Structure formats: C-alpha cells, structure tokens
Amino acid sequence: MLTRRNLLGAAGAFGLSASRPGTASAEAVLGDDGIYRQPWFLESFLELEEDLRDAADAGKRLAVMWELRGCPFCRDTHLVNLAVPEVSGYIRERFEILQLNLIGDREVTDFDGEVAGEKRIAQKYGVRFTPTILFFPEQPEGLGDRAPMAREVARVVGYQEPKAFRRTFEFVADRHYESTSLQEFLARA
C-alpha cells in the first residue's frame, strides 16, 4: 500500500527528496474532466508530428501519457511521482508530455495523417490501461509509414514507483533502448 510515509521513506532510499506534506500536489490540478494535469504539460493542437518536431526543436523528446478519470494510478503518478522535484525536474528538462484521455473525443492528428478522436487513437495504439506512456523517436521521419506500435521506442503501462519512473525517462533520454530492453535497464538499477 502506497502511503505518504512509504513515499518519504522510499524517496530517501532512492536519494530523492519528496515534497513536504501539504505541498506534494502543489502543481497538479484536477480538471473538470476528472483528470489531473501538470501546468507544464504540453498544450498543443494535438498534431503528433508537429508536436514531435517542436519537442525536437526545443532539444526534448515527446511522450504521450494516456489517462482516465478516476484512475488511482494516474492520480498517484501526479501526486506522488511528479511531486518529487528530482523526478519532475528531470522530466521537464528533457521531455514534452502530451496528455490524452483514453476515452476522450478531442481530435488528434496521428503521424500517418489520420484525424480521429482520442479514444480511436488509443485503440489504434493498443492502449487499454492507464496510465500508459508512449515514447517516440527524436524525429518524425518515416513514422507514418510504420504500424502504430512500431513507432514507439518505449512504452510503460501502469504505475511505477518514483525511482523506476524517473529511470524510465532516463532510458529514453539517453537512448538506452538502442542497446537493451527497458526491463533489463530497470533491473540493473
């Protein structure tokens, strides 16, 4: 069971400092749709190729985070993991996070030019659980010609403790996916 006490102990064991009680969710905001958001998450026209290009131009990588109203693991990702300054700071410096709703209806333009609602894009990428984070290559060239899941360099399904969560982003930022699997990379930690 994840508790604030366990988080503080785990954060200390990992060399991380958790926020003080009462400030852990200082940045996360619960939206009208019931999904937590970080004010630094990417706001875009939901055109994946353009979002990836913009991220690359800023020296960052693009990650798409799928969430769902009422998902306790999505909540913990925001209120626990992203409340750890060393975790959120690392991610903010290196990634643009585009947040999508697993059952949402906002129109998204995929890398292959298909325009569809969030729910349809989630189905296309085989996203069935939340949170799911999809990580994409540094450049969009040729992505539209690949099958949707073959466009990703990494995928995380479900909640990860803060240390593993940050290490997953390190796996992508440092391109470890070119030489090993995410599971092997995390096991070495």
Side-chain angles (χ1 to χ4, degrees):
M1 172 93 162
L2 186 63
T3 65
R4 184 171 308 279
R5 182 174 304 199
N6 291 344
L7 168 64
L8 294 173
F14 297 137
L16 304 173
S17 63
S19 298
R20 294 182 319 264
T23 64
S25 61
E27 287 196 89
V29 175
L30 184 60
D32 293 338
D33 59 0
I35 297 176
Y36 283 93
R37 288 184 169 58
Q38 300 292 326
W40 51 271
F41 275 8
L42 179 64
E43 292 291 330
S44 78
F45 291 112
L46 305 179
E47 296 174 358
L48 297 183
E49 184 171 331
E50 187 66 30
D51 291 341
L52 194 149
R53 284 189 197 285
D54 289 347
D57 289 347
K60 296 183 177 187
R61 301 293 297 265
L62 177 66
V64 175
M65 185 174 195
W66 292 92
E67 299 188 52
L68 183 64
R69 175 188 197 110
C71 167
F73 303 110
C74 300
R75 179 198 64 224
D76 288 351
T77 297
H78 288 275
L79 301 183
V80 176
N81 294 10
L82 295 174
V84 178
E86 290 81 1
V87 173
S88 60
Y90 181 88
I91 295 168
R92 288 174 78 161
E93 288 176 16
R94 293 164 180 84
F95 288 87
E96 291 289 358
I97 307 292
L98 178 62
Q99 186 179 40
L100 296 177
N101 184 342
L102 183 68
I103 59 170
D105 58 5
R106 294 183 299 166
E107 286 195 342
V108 178
T109 303
D110 198 1
F111 293 106
D112 59 10
E114 178 184 359
V115 177
E118 293 164 289
K119 182 177 180 178
R120 165 69 188 118
I121 298 295
Q123 292 168 345
K124 182 177 176 178
Y125 279 85
V127 177
R128 293 183 181 88
F129 305 99
T130 57
T132 294
I133 305 173
L134 310 179
F135 296 91
F136 293 97
E138 294 171 291
Q139 298 295 327
E141 283 71 36
L143 288 183
D145 298 330
R146 298 182 199 165
M149 292 175 71
R151 297 172 185 160
E152 307 164 21
V153 297
R155 172 185 288 229
V156 174
V157 179
Y159 179 77
Q160 293 180 312
E161 296 293 329
K163 181 180 180 184
F165 188 71
R166 178 186 163 141
R167 295 265 307 147
T168 298
F169 281 86
E170 291 173 15
F171 174 80
V172 175
D174 297 337
R175 301 170 65 163
H176 291 285
Y177 53 84
E178 293 176 350
S179 61
T180 189
S181 72
L182 178 58
Q183 292 75 20
E184 291 171 354
F185 179 78
L186 293 174
R188 285 185 281 193

